[in-house]
Amino acid sequence: MTNFEVGIRVKFAGGQGEITKVEKRPNGSHLLHVYTSEGELQKLPSGLPHIEKIDSIVDRLAAKQIDDPLHHDLRERATRLDLAYRYDRFLSLTNNRIEIEPYQVKAAYEILNSYDHRYLIGDEVGLGKTIEAGIVIEELIARGRAERVLIVAPAPLTVQWQQEMRKKFDRNFVIYDRDTVRTHRKSHPNQNVWLQEDLIITSVDFAKQDDVLEALRNLEEEWDIAVFDEAHHLTARRSSDDSIERTQRYKVGEAVARSSDALLLMTGTPHKGKSDQFYFLTDLLDPYRFGHESDIDPGGLEDLMIRRLKDNMYETDGTRMFPEKNMEALGVDMSPAERKLYDGVTEYIREYYNLAQQEENQAVGFTMVIYQKRLVSSIYAIRKSLENRMRAIQSDAIAEELPEDVQQLIPRYSTEPETLTDAERTRVEQELETVTLAQNQTQVQAELDRVKALWQQAKEIKTDSKAQLLKQFVDRILDDDPDEKILIFTEYTDTLEYLRDEIFAGYDVTQIYGDLDQAKRRREMAQFEEEANLMLATDAAQEGLNLQFAHIMVNYDLPWNPTRIDQRMGRLHRYGQEHTVEIRNLFFKDTRESEILNLLVEKMNQIESDLGMRSDVLGRVLEDVDLDQTIMAAIAEDQSQDEVIADIEKTVKERQEALETVENELLIRDRFDLSDEDEEILDVIDRSQHGDVSEDDIEILVREFFDEFGGDIRGVRPGPARSEGDVFQLEVPNVLSGGQVSGQYEQATFSQKVAREQDDVEFIALDHPLVQSIIDFCLESDRLQGDITVKIAAGQEPTPGICFTYRLGYVSGAGDAVTEKLAWLYVNTDREVASGKPKYTDTLSSDEIDQFPELDRLASMAEELHSVAEMSAWDEVESFAKEAREEREREVSIKRKHAERHFEEQIETWQDRLEQYESQDGPNKDMSAPIGNARQQLDKLRREREAELSRLDEEQHVTPEEPELVTAAFVVSGD
């Protein structure tokens, strides 16, 4: 009968585990308490025939049991890869398909080395906030700290996020919308829908719906990390009576913030001049950091916010990372026919806009705004609108009311058009073009006659003057340099088609617009980079366009939403741009809308220069200005341009002063110049890219595993990189296929360079499911016994001895087991310990070991040498756990200070109120209700304080784990 003791490992039917307690019974059969590998506690009678002791590595060393050399190498390589990026390296630098910049690594490094990974990322447009968030997500997953990830973004950006995470990080997220949620609820009606996927992207406007938000609030399992893109949409305000007005979007932020471990809020406009709104945004990250908006200062934001402006980014040689941009306005004189059309259409718009205002018909007002925008976009665009209007009137398709789904979109279309998808925006505008005021038949006919006449005028203008000037500009550029590339933005697809088909019919042109599918979009972008001179793009398509290989941009029309002007420029004015970005704004002279917009762009340039910023300025300055209404009011009231411009200049000046106060007194600006402070980042990048793990390590692991377990790898693209090329077809061994691992990969590569060049090739990097499955199999399967080997040492190594390989880690205060690194401890027969693996020249099979008599001596000393190694392993784990503990204690002390101050202020406030209520209580005034409420609030605050301080006490603890011996090698001399 086996002598079962506490600490030994056993296997039994259905699993294995470690004995934690032995209950002795009088009949000789004992009850074993076994903690299984799955983390469960089982009680098993010791007399069961299938319970067997698992010999430890030390037992097997003593018995001189040698494993297959290949199995040992597989296990050790798998262990090394499993831990490769858990300590001081970045997995995302080698596992992605993109070039990641040092300043992006620095941002992620700061977040990942913080206490709780809760940050506001406020980088300017064009710095790659998405990449920074992606790095943090990938690192937390790679280090075993994250499985459940939620990304919340404006609706138009959800698909873009999904594509970015798939393309750049090979990570597949599910988009949650109404259809997805309905399907999940149907298949699992009793489960919270947010638990049915682990990697989720959703829009903030979908998440704010009552039933969806309620499910978010009632989550039992937290998010390991949540990300909010365009987080400035999470708005809460302080009312005059000091109460808080929370928007539905902010309530989504609260629900997610409460149920998230790590949290990233991303926005290029973190502070829009409203201190209370900025305070409530930071409150989502750390509710105890600031007691009130008046408490916010740059020092308090230091470990809560990352914010880099392009002007503060430098290369190692001291040059600016982002070149200058030069913006010029190109005014166009209308032809007599164009002026007549402009005046006629504007008069038509003015009349119907004013009627809409009188009758409070918002929809018709919007229709007239669309017409005015299209009028100054292109003759072709307004002609198409007049044609559509005429056709709708003739076919009786004119409606007085909008469909219900469009009515629901109108508020966002009016105030936040950027939150609508392209399909939603198109749907709204198509419906708006069919809406009119209540009219009799005579009035309908009069409108039809008027629209027909205007349409006929537009039809007779074959080429508009703006297009002629654009063509002259383009020809001049291409005459100087036939390889130059020019990006041309316009707001409407109709205008894009006109330029493509009429003006640049004989040119090499590519195009990006809202309805283009992603495959076609990629082809168009590639063609622009490699061959074409011109790219025509609409605002619906500008997000996600990274075109820094070009440096000339033309705004064929200026969008009335000033934020879009910034976003357009951000396509070229981003990292990697080597030239001054040249921007030209075309506009019709002597039109109110164009003169106003051109003035604003000039003002934006001046303010950016004054503040040392390159983007997002105009949107912040005009935060409370309804530009559509301002322009249309000027048209409707026939105001002079000078009068309107004077009003706008006054508003801009006031807002600029407020913005300067915010920038100079409240917000931080992080400098990046790769000086001494940034040297650590370069070390991290070097360790990650040229450290212990290479592409060859991963390829060797896969090839050796396939050879051993029946897989096949065939080159499908011969090339100079290797004799079999660098793209392969993989036939996966049966022991692995299933789940996330495919049985076959038609085209796969181990090369990051190839993966970056070819989206359709599977990138077999460390985090690929195939590699992770091989690692899991090598570490856990009974079919691979690779604990012990015999190595021949290089001549200078002291022999004989045993090299013990340990996993070292610690347990955080929250109870998370954090395995951080692999340690090799070599102990020779003199009981001397050396850290690090000895150099080897060969590995012996079990058939060869009889030639080395010193193995008998090593086997007899196995337990003794293991004890020496174990003590050194404890010293090592204590050492780096001590470093972690000191850093944790420092961070927790800061958190404790914030929490204590917060509760002290809150308790003092309610204590004062209680005393005030008690002093007013008496026969003539019953204050029992407010007194009771104040006492309840005080009790609640004291309970919350105690709970928070107790939680912080627990979290500051860092406890070393027992070192885990994973493999061992007898080391002998080959002489």
Side-chain angles (χ1 to χ4, degrees):
M1 176 177 162
T2 304
N3 183 23
F4 294 111
E5 297 175 355
V6 171
I8 71 169
R9 293 187 60 79
V10 294
K11 59 183 178 181
F12 51 90
Q16 57 180 262
E18 181 179 331
I19 297 175
T20 59
K21 182 180 178 182
V22 178
E23 285 187 27
K24 296 187 177 181
R25 302 293 173 86
N27 61 4
S29 177
H30 308 316
L31 189 66
L32 308 179
H33 294 237
V34 179
Y35 186 71
T36 71
S37 301
E38 288 74 34
E40 299 174 352
L41 189 65
Q42 290 195 22
K43 296 179 181 180
L44 304 169
S46 62
L48 292 177
H50 55 258
I51 297 184
E52 299 177 22
K53 177 185 174 185
I54 300 174
D55 287 336
S56 69
I57 291 175
V58 178
D59 292 335
R60 299 189 65 230
L61 282 168
K64 214 168 63 170
Q65 295 176 0
I66 310 302
D67 296 318
D68 183 315
L70 177 59
H71 283 211
H72 178 273
D73 289 349
L74 278 170
R75 175 158 292 184
E76 181 145 314
R77 191 182 300 277
T79 304
R80 186 159 57 88
L81 293 178
D82 188 43
L83 291 177
Y85 295 94
R86 303 234 180 155
Y87 187 43
D88 59 352
R89 294 170 177 82
F90 270 29
L91 173 77
S92 50
L93 298 188
T94 54
N95 276 19
N96 66 79
R97 296 177 185 262
I98 53 170
E99 293 283 351
I100 293 177
E101 306 303 338
Y103 69 85
Q104 295 170 333
V105 177
K106 184 181 180 184
Y109 191 69
E110 180 177 335
I111 294 167
L112 288 161
N113 284 294
S114 68
Y115 167 65
D116 52 8
H117 318 317
R118 295 173 79 91
Y119 263 78
L120 174 61
I121 304 179
D123 287 346
E124 265 195 282
V125 171
L127 290 178
K129 293 184 287 292
T130 303
I131 298 301
E132 291 164 1
I135 296 172
V136 174
I137 291 169
E138 286 301 297
E139 293 304 321
L140 289 177
I141 292 174
R143 301 173 190 203
R145 312 281 179 85
E147 291 181 1
R148 286 176 47 73
V149 183
L150 176 67
I151 297 170
V152 186
L157 301 184
T158 54
V159 173
Q160 182 185 320
W161 264 97
Q162 185 185 50
Q163 291 162 348
E164 294 273 288
M165 294 304 292
R166 181 182 295 142
K167 177 183 175 184
K168 295 176 177 174
F169 297 101
D170 280 332
R171 194 69 62 182
N172 293 313
F173 280 74
V174 176
I175 292 180
Y176 265 35
D177 53 22
R178 181 53 64 189
D179 290 340
T180 310
V181 167
R182 189 181 295 117
T183 301
H184 279 320
R185 282 176 171 164
K186 192 172 181 180
S187 58
H188 298 88
N190 297 321
Q191 186 182 23
N192 190 312
V193 70
W194 296 101
L195 293 175
Q196 294 182 35
E197 301 284 353
D198 284 334
L199 304 178
I200 297 173
I201 296 170
T202 194
S203 79
V204 67
D205 286 308
F206 173 70
K208 76 181 186 184
Q209 297 178 67
D210 290 344
D211 61 321
V212 182
L213 179 54
E214 190 63 23
L216 269 176
R217 285 172 171 154
N218 293 325
L219 262 180
E220 295 176 0
E221 188 176 343
E222 70 176 12
W223 304 103
D224 296 307
I225 177 169
V227 177
F228 278 89
D229 194 8
E230 303 294 338
H232 54 269
H233 290 306
L234 308 178
T235 307
R237 302 176 180 85
R238 196 181 298 280
S239 300
S240 56
D241 63 355
D242 211 35
S243 62
I244 304 169
E245 295 178 11
R246 295 172 172 85
T247 61
Q248 284 297 106
R249 290 174 183 165
Y250 188 82
K251 291 175 183 177
V252 173
E254 285 184 309
V256 173
R258 280 196 296 264
S259 60
S260 298
D261 185 6
L263 177 64
L264 302 180
L265 304 180
M266 298 165 43
T267 171
T269 52
H271 198 311
K272 297 183 287 186
K274 308 292 176 61
S275 295
D276 57 337
Q277 293 181 24
F278 182 69
Y279 164 73
F280 289 119
L281 198 60
T282 63
D283 195 61
L284 295 174
L285 296 166
D286 185 349
Y288 308 125
R289 177 62 57 96
F290 306 111
H292 189 270
E293 50 264 35
S294 58
D295 298 331
I296 297 175
D297 58 40
L301 292 170
E302 198 64 42
D303 59 344
L304 195 70
M305 181 179 184
I306 293 171
R307 182 167 177 262
R308 280 84 60 88
L309 306 180
K310 291 173 181 174
D311 266 9
N312 294 330
M313 309 287 283
Y314 294 87
E315 303 286 5
T316 49
D317 61 2
T319 59
R320 287 190 186 277
M321 197 175 285
F322 293 87
E324 297 298 320
K325 62 185 181 189
N326 177 41
M327 189 180 303
E328 294 179 15
L330 299 180
V332 181
D333 291 308
M334 288 185 182
S335 67
E338 286 171 329
R339 175 59 66 181
K340 182 181 177 184
L341 176 67
Y342 175 83
D343 290 342
V345 173
T346 299
E347 185 54 43
Y348 166 70
I349 290 169
R350 177 185 294 121
E351 183 178 325
Y352 278 81
Y353 184 81
N354 283 332
L355 282 171
Q357 297 298 101
Q358 291 168 21
E359 297 189 16
E360 298 182 350
N361 189 319
Q362 185 186 41
V364 174
F366 285 139
T367 304
M368 296 302 115
V369 173
I370 293 169
Y371 287 166
Q372 195 71 36
K373 289 178 180 178
R374 290 172 70 87
L375 174 62
V376 290
S377 176
S378 68
I379 303 298
Y380 183 77
I382 191 59
R383 192 182 92 198
K384 293 288 286 185
S385 286
L386 293 168
E387 191 175 301
N388 293 339
R389 186 74 173 179
M390 192 168 59
R391 190 178 294 117
I393 296 173
Q394 288 172 327
S395 62
D396 295 326
I398 291 290
E400 292 182 23
E401 293 291 335
L402 291 169
E404 187 176 341
D405 64 320
V406 175
Q407 288 185 38
Q408 291 176 352
L409 293 172
I410 282 290
R412 283 164 56 204
Y413 177 83
S414 170
T415 59
E416 298 174 310
E418 71 277 7
T419 67
L420 268 62
T421 63
D422 185 48
E424 287 172 335
R425 187 181 297 110
T426 301
R427 164 95 173 121
V428 169
E429 294 188 350
Q430 284 176 344
E431 288 296 330
L432 283 172
E433 287 201 313
T434 68
V435 175
T436 190
L437 300 164
Q439 298 184 102
N440 59 39
Q441 190 57 43
T442 302
Q443 291 169 321
V444 169
Q445 185 61 45
E447 182 181 4
L448 178 60
D449 293 342
R450 191 171 185 178
V451 171
K452 266 186 182 178
L454 292 169
W455 172 74
Q456 191 62 44
Q457 286 181 45
K459 192 177 176 186
E460 289 169 1
I461 302 172
K462 300 305 180 186
T463 304
D464 68 33
S465 301
K466 240 191 340 173
Q468 290 174 335
L469 182 62
L470 174 64
K471 187 173 184 301
Q472 291 168 11
F473 173 79
V474 168
D475 287 344
R476 192 163 60 250
I477 295 291
L478 296 182
D479 285 344
D480 290 342
D481 183 357
D483 296 324
E484 191 60 87
K485 299 181 183 299
I486 305 169
L487 174 63
I488 302 169
F489 264 115
T490 182
E491 191 160 3
Y492 297 103
T493 306
D494 288 335
T495 300
L496 182 151
E497 291 171 352
Y498 166 69
L499 294 174
R500 179 193 67 201
D501 299 338
E502 300 292 333
I503 306 304
F504 298 114
Y507 294 67
D508 197 350
V509 176
T510 61
Q511 56 189 346
I512 298 281
Y513 51 87
D515 290 339
L516 216 60
D517 67 58
Q518 288 303 313
K520 176 72 171 168
R521 181 186 174 109
R522 283 196 297 270
R523 288 196 295 272
E524 294 288 312
M525 289 176 65
Q527 187 182 342
F528 182 46
E529 183 170 8
E530 295 162 12
E531 302 170 12
N533 295 116
L534 306 181
M535 171 174 276
L536 301 172
T538 66
D539 285 313
Q542 59 85 21
E543 277 299 328
L545 280 182
N546 301 326
L547 306 173
Q548 52 268 55
F549 54 83
H551 71 103
I552 301 174
M553 186 181 92
V554 178
N555 287 310
Y556 190 72
D557 49 25
L558 286 171
W560 290 19
N561 180 343
T563 304
R564 287 194 193 167
I565 300 173
D566 275 334
Q567 291 170 339
R568 287 179 177 185
M569 291 186 294
R571 303 310 100 208
L572 307 185
H573 196 245
R574 56 197 307 112
Y575 189 80
Q577 179 57 258
E578 297 178 354
H579 305 283
T580 296
V581 176
E582 298 288 348
I583 300 160
R584 301 295 180 266
N585 300 319
L586 292 177
F587 71 101
F588 281 125
K589 294 179 183 177
D590 298 322
T591 63
R592 292 176 187 81
E593 54 274 57
S594 296
E595 296 282 1
I596 290 169
L597 292 168
N598 192 48
L599 166 81
L600 287 174
V601 172
E602 290 176 0
K603 287 291 181 186
M604 175 183 71
N605 253 349
Q606 183 58 51
I607 297 170
E608 285 182 356
S609 176
D610 293 345
L611 292 177
M613 299 176 68
R614 304 290 190 92
S615 59
D616 298 319
V617 168
L618 200 51
R620 293 167 71 185
V621 167
L622 298 177
E623 171 68 15
D624 296 323
V625 177
D626 186 334
L627 207 53
D628 283 11
Q629 186 178 8
T630 301
I631 292 173
M632 290 306 294
I635 290 169
E637 297 166 17
D638 204 14
Q639 286 179 279
S640 72
Q641 288 159 209
D642 292 344
E643 187 181 349
V644 178
I645 285 172
D647 288 343
I648 290 179
E649 282 191 305
K650 181 182 176 185
T651 301
V652 168
K653 187 173 187 301
E654 291 171 354
R655 292 289 295 150
Q656 179 180 353
E657 290 172 357
L659 192 57
E660 287 173 344
T661 300
V662 167
E663 286 295 326
N664 297 330
E665 297 179 12
L666 290 180
L667 294 185
I668 60 174
R669 293 189 177 194
D670 297 313
R671 181 184 174 93
F672 185 85
D673 57 10
L674 290 172
S675 60
D676 293 344
E677 187 179 338
D678 298 324
E679 279 294 320
E680 186 178 9
I681 297 306
L682 298 181
D683 291 342
V684 170
I685 292 171
D686 186 64
R687 283 197 303 270
S688 301
Q689 294 178 333
H690 309 103
D692 294 338
V693 176
S694 66
E695 292 173 357
D696 286 341
D697 281 318
I698 294 163
E699 184 171 349
I700 290 168
L701 176 74
V702 174
R703 286 185 177 278
E704 289 184 346
F705 190 90
F706 276 39
D707 289 344
E708 182 68 11
F709 290 98
D712 186 42
I713 300 179
R714 286 191 296 275
V716 296
R717 191 181 81 176
R722 297 182 180 85
S723 58
E724 295 183 66
D726 49 18
V727 178
F728 309 95
Q729 182 185 76
L730 307 185
E731 299 285 345
V732 178
N734 292 332
V735 294
L736 291 183
S737 58
Q740 289 188 310
V741 180
S742 299
Q744 183 184 79
Y745 295 96
E746 290 291 339
Q747 291 194 97
T749 186
F750 300 97
S751 163
Q752 187 179 46
K753 182 176 183 294
V754 173
R756 286 175 175 171
E757 293 170 352
Q758 295 182 250
D759 290 348
D760 56 342
V761 173
E762 195 85 14
F763 183 25
I764 310 298
L766 183 55
D767 65 342
H768 191 279
L770 173 64
V771 179
Q772 290 299 308
S773 294
I774 291 175
I775 290 172
D776 291 344
F777 187 96
C778 291
L779 298 183
E780 297 172 9
S781 174
D782 291 336
R783 293 183 58 181
L784 193 143
Q785 179 108 39
D787 296 339
I788 298 171
T789 192
V790 180
K791 295 285 186 180
I792 303 292
Q796 71 274 20
E797 299 288 352
T799 58
I802 301 176
C803 185
F804 298 91
T805 308
Y806 283 96
R807 291 174 79 117
L808 303 181
Y810 57 81
V811 178
S812 70
D816 299 323
V818 184
T819 305
E820 293 285 0
K821 65 179 181 179
L822 206 59
W824 289 270
L825 296 169
Y826 178 50
V827 188
N828 63 25
T829 49
D830 292 331
R831 297 166 191 79
E832 296 170 337
V833 184
S835 291
K837 186 192 297 185
K839 292 182 180 177
Y840 304 133
T841 60
D842 200 1
T843 305
L844 299 181
S845 68
S846 55
D847 297 335
E848 300 171 297
I849 62 174
D850 291 338
Q851 304 169 31
F852 295 86
E854 60 259 59
L855 288 175
D856 291 328
R857 183 181 175 208
L858 286 174
S860 67
M861 297 179 69
E863 193 165 335
E864 184 181 350
L865 298 184
H866 171 252
S867 296
V868 174
E870 191 90 352
M871 289 183 64
S872 290
W874 271 111
D875 289 342
E876 281 210 28
V877 74
E878 283 279 8
S879 175
F880 80 76
K882 180 173 180 288
E883 292 176 16
R885 186 182 302 115
E886 289 171 353
E887 180 62 20
R888 181 62 61 90
E889 287 173 351
R890 184 189 71 80
E891 292 172 330
V892 168
S893 69
I894 295 171
K895 293 279 183 182
R896 173 183 283 277
K897 183 176 72 175
H898 293 321
E900 286 176 339
R901 190 210 65 239
H902 168 84
F903 284 110
E904 182 181 328
E905 290 175 355
Q906 291 292 310
I907 288 172
E908 185 178 340
T909 296
W910 279 100
Q911 189 67 51
D912 289 345
R913 288 181 186 175
L914 176 60
E915 291 173 4
Q916 181 183 355
Y917 297 152
E918 287 177 336
S919 68
Q920 295 172 0
D921 191 34
N924 299 323
K925 192 173 186 180
D926 183 6
M927 297 294 289
S928 57
I931 287 172
N933 179 55
R935 287 174 176 163
Q936 285 180 357
Q937 290 295 331
L938 283 167
D939 288 344
K940 179 184 174 188
L941 285 166
R942 287 171 180 137
R943 287 195 304 273
E944 287 178 354
R945 178 178 62 183
E946 185 176 350
E948 177 64 14
L949 296 181
S950 296
R951 184 184 69 82
L952 290 172
D953 282 343
E954 289 178 7
E955 289 197 356
Q956 74 178 5
H957 294 297
V958 171
T959 307
E961 276 198 304
E962 181 178 354
E964 179 189 350
L965 180 61
V966 289
T967 61
F970 289 115
V971 182
V972 295
S973 170
D975 298 334

